[in-house]
Amino acid sequence: MSVPKGSWVEIEAVLLKPEERAPNLPPDTAKVPYLLKVSGFLTEDSELGQTTAVRTLIGHEYRGLLKIVNPSYAHSFGATVPELLGIGRRGKA
Amino acid sequence: MTRDNSYAAVLGRKNEIMKRALGIDFDDFIQSPIAFDYERMMRETGYSHEDIVRIQTDSKVGNTPLFELKNLTEAVRKVSAPGMGATILVKDEAANASGSFKARRASISAFEAQKKGFAGLIAATSGNYGAAVASQAAMRGLQCIILQEVFDSRDICQPEIVEKSRACEAYGAEVLRLSVGPELFYMALRTLEETGFFNASLYTPFGIRGVETLGVEVAEQVRARFGKDPDAVVITHAGGGNVTGTARGLLLAGCAQTRIVACSVDLGGLHMASDTDFNKKSFTTGHTGFGVPFATWPDRVDVPRNAARSLRYMDEYQLVTQGEVFYVTELLTKLEGLERGPAGNTSLTAAVTLARQMDRDQIVVVQETEYTGAGKHHNRQLSFARENGIEIRVGDPSGNVPGKTLVLPERLDQVRGKVQDMDRLRLSYLKNAAKAHPVDQWNENDYAFVAADIKSEEAWVKLAVSNLENK
Ligand SMILES: Cc1ncc(COP(=O)(O)O)c(C=O)c1O
């Protein structure tokens, strides 16, 4: 998919490969790369999944793989946890 | 010229990067590998208390209301022995710009950065402090970069930190979202070096002096309303700046008898740098994963000497379980009509326990609240725990096992918390100090510094280190 320059996107970059990471990490952390994600405006027409660059809200440029077009925040209040509903109820015997 | 950005090379340039990015010459205060002139460093920030009040008033910070939690106090009295059950007050710090007490810290750093002519500010923080710095930067027209630890290797994000990413971007900051690992500090150094921005570290004298106003306001508000000093002030502890700044403010206001009670959520058994443990936590701050290491060795941060030194000030350190905090959060909502976030309610949970052990005519102050909302809300943290395989049930909170089982108490009298042994914490500090500077090289100044730093006597320190040596 081709994404036009100027689109608001998220890129991902490997900052440190597993062997380049900090010493003394727990094994589960040591075996995976250290990653950066940042959102910005695409500096050129680009393909999803290809290396490209973005300019952030304050104008800095970062390079990485184009991952998401129009990244959004979808965090929520979550599925109701019924165990909470019993707490502090009025008129409860 | 391209810089060597390997992990070792960037950490090797740490001191020069930090010096340029703060404009404080720590060498001026440092006396030995452990000792430094703490009080002179705090004084020489260049700001008087009045300056700080003025800067904060100008930047939508401070003067937050102090509420009496009458219904919760009543509920606590019902489960207390006759004559017991102190009045519980809460300072609504969620009323600060950006929704938490962290605005007090950020306000002075942002003022300082602007005064010194920096184009922008950087902070490495996954919590409220990021939103605080971004908000203060926004009102001063400064640029801002926030670095956060957000997602694990399965690409699963902790919902509370996602909310922080959103808030920072909403205030116009650039947000660098990173995977799990202590290399957050490495990336912060790289970013400071590349941009030349100001290091709005959480641990500078600016930040901690900024929290002193909170302690002073508590003293003034309690005196105005009740004609006496608070008997105890309960303070959520992660990096220790909240305890340090608040206690310093209380002392500044003359509350010499007020008990300073630190409090953290017990996350014992979970590893803070572990990719798999990252999303097994239902709390992202105010927990023992930060609280204990920072209390027992403050100088592990992004500045050469940490202005947040909680053992200097605390009289007591309470632990509470995740389930207890969520239960009390729900009670605060239902009984007091106040919906607030988890980190602030950590100290509220300890206050419930303390109030039961205190006389009716005494006063216990919970010195902060924080905002809540999508991602941060306790329902989201609980549903997220369930999605990550954590068992959630109602029962006795002694059944809590961090990362495995989260138990919501059934009744208020089951909210008990647990105290930490202060001398064990002090001994742990001494072991860390001995690692940083072998005891046979300590001079009288080192002993005096260490004794003050753990609120103890030199004689106790000398005996304790000789016992350590003999082991
Ligand atoms: C709302 C809130 N309360 C308390 C704390 C703990 O403060 P400190 O890190 O200074 O101990 C934090 C920060 O992590 C926080 O965001």
Side-chain angles (χ1 to χ4, degrees), chain B residues 100-102 105 128-129 203 236-243 285-286 343-344 368-370:
Chain B
S100 80
F101 90 99
K102 289 281 163 87
R105 273 161 112 153
N128 289 304
Y129 187 59
Y203 306 104
T236 301
H237 188 309
N242 198 18
V243 169
T285 189
E368 61 150 336
T369 60
E370 61 164 337

Side-chain angles (χ1 to χ4, degrees), chain B residues 189-242:
Chain B
L189 287 173
R190 254 180 76 169
T191 312
L192 284 167
E193 189 172 44
E194 278 159 22
T195 58
F197 284 5
F198 183 78
N199 179 9
S201 155
L202 274 159
Y203 306 104
T204 62
F206 310 118
I208 304 308
R209 291 286 314 275
V211 185
E212 289 174 3
T213 51
L214 173 44
V216 172
E217 287 173 28
V218 166
E220 287 170 351
Q221 287 170 307
V222 173
R223 283 172 184 159
R225 191 122 118 238
F226 298 89
K228 59 173 190 161
D229 289 353
D231 295 282
V233 175
V234 196
I235 310 167
T236 301
H237 188 309
N242 198 18

